[in-house]
């Protein structure tokens, strides 16, 4: 993966076989990504690479990160819970995002239209970084599938272990199970996860 921000704009992130080819998503949206980069640098943000993507910091805090996909390119804001999005233009960064924090673009012309908003969001986060404001905690209830409820009711050892997990580890299992469309799939996953739950691990831990 890349370590120099310039490589992202000329070759890509380095995470797939399209790296360094014209087919790389960062090359498909090169002009638009460079426009967003100029705005971030013009605001006085420090540019570095994190997670193989150009990331912009202020006072040591992550402010925003650039991304490119086949269907769009985007500017995602860190700690979006601190933003005042009066126009409601922010979108979730992913299916499990709790707070909308991304601006997606499918046309370079959209950047000119959104530039005042982009600068306002960056300015807000820079001000929060300067005073050390923490984003509010967002508590989201995740539905526990019936199959897990039944498994916990019939397996005291599993129930004790599951309820002893940290909230984050519990959520990792709930997210995974809720993504399965078939009941049989959820039952199979619970059986597969049992040893990990007993061991106190999350769904993605080894």
């Amino acid at each position: 993966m890349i370590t120099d921000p310039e490589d992202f704009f000329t070759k890509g992130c380095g995470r797939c076989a399209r790296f360094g080819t014209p087919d790389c998503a960062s090359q498909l949206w090169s002009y638009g990504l460079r426009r967003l980069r100029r705005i971030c640098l013009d605001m006085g943000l420090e540019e570095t690479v994190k997670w193989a993507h150009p990331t912009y910091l202020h006072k040591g805090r992550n402010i925003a990160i650039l991304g490119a996909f086949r269907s769009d390119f985007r500017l995602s804001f860190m700690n979006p819970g601190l933003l005042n999005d009066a126009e409601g233009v922010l979108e979730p960064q992913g299916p499990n995002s709790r707070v909308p924090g991304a601006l997606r673009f499918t046309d370079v012309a959209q950047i000119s239209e959104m530039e005042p908003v982009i600068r306002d969001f960056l300015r807000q986060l820079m001000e929060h970084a300067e005073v050390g404001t923490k984003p509010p905690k967002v508590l989201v209830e995740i539905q526990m599938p019936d199959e897990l409820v039944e498994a916990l009711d019939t397996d005291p050892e599993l129930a004790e272990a599951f309820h002893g997990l940290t909230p984050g580890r519990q959520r990792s299992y709930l997210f995974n199970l809720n993504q399965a469309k078939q009941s049989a799939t959820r039952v199979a996953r619970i059986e597969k996860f049992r040893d990990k739950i007993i061991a106190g691990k999350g769904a993605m831990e080894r």
Side-chain angles (χ1 to χ4, degrees):
M1 295 187 291
I2 63 169
T3 56
D4 183 347
E6 187 62 35
D7 285 342
F8 179 82
F9 300 97
T10 57
K11 302 176 185 178
C13 67
R15 285 181 161 178
C16 75
R18 292 191 295 269
F19 179 66
T21 73
D23 199 36
C24 175
S26 71
Q27 301 310 293
L28 297 177
W29 302 109
S30 178
Y31 184 68
L33 289 165
R34 289 181 181 277
R35 286 279 304 277
L36 291 174
R37 180 193 201 187
R38 283 200 295 272
I39 293 173
C40 290
L41 295 178
D42 186 56
M43 292 291 293
L45 293 171
E46 174 190 351
E47 184 181 60
T48 187
V49 171
K50 292 189 178 184
W51 308 286
H53 287 75
T55 305
Y56 299 89
L57 294 76
H58 184 64
K59 299 294 183 181
R61 180 183 284 189
N62 297 329
I63 300 297
I65 185 169
L66 292 178
F69 298 82
R70 307 292 292 175
S71 58
D72 64 73
F73 63 102
R74 62 191 68 175
L75 179 66
S76 298
F77 300 96
M78 307 297 193
N79 297 311
L82 294 173
L83 289 173
N84 176 18
D85 180 17
E87 298 181 35
V89 296
L90 292 173
E91 301 178 39
Q93 298 181 42
N96 296 326
S97 298
R98 299 183 184 184
V99 180
L103 290 175
R104 289 184 173 85
F105 303 92
T106 56
D107 190 318
V108 174
Q110 294 171 322
I111 297 177
S112 297
E113 299 171 8
M114 294 296 295
E115 184 167 349
V117 176
I118 294 171
R119 288 180 177 274
D120 178 55
F121 286 158
L122 294 174
R123 187 175 297 108
Q124 288 184 49
L125 292 175
M126 291 171 71
E127 291 174 354
H128 284 301
E130 290 170 1
V131 298
T133 314
K134 299 291 185 181
K137 291 186 177 181
V138 179
L139 299 177
V140 178
E141 289 294 330
I142 305 173
Q143 182 178 358
M144 184 178 291
D146 293 339
E147 294 81 3
L148 181 58
V149 173
E150 182 176 351
L152 298 180
D153 285 344
T154 58
D155 188 338
E157 183 182 9
L158 179 64
E160 182 178 359
F162 183 81
H163 292 303
L165 294 174
T166 63
R169 288 190 172 103
Q170 289 181 3
R171 285 195 296 270
S172 73
Y173 288 109
L174 298 182
F175 276 131
N176 188 291
L177 294 173
N178 284 327
Q179 287 175 348
K181 297 181 179 181
Q182 301 295 326
S183 176
T185 305
R186 289 191 287 273
V187 170
R189 289 186 181 183
I190 291 169
E191 293 176 355
K192 173 185 168 185
F193 286 145
R194 187 180 188 280
D195 289 345
K196 294 179 75 170
I197 295 173
I198 298 296
K201 298 179 179 180
M204 303 306 293
E205 293 181 271
R206 293 184 177 180

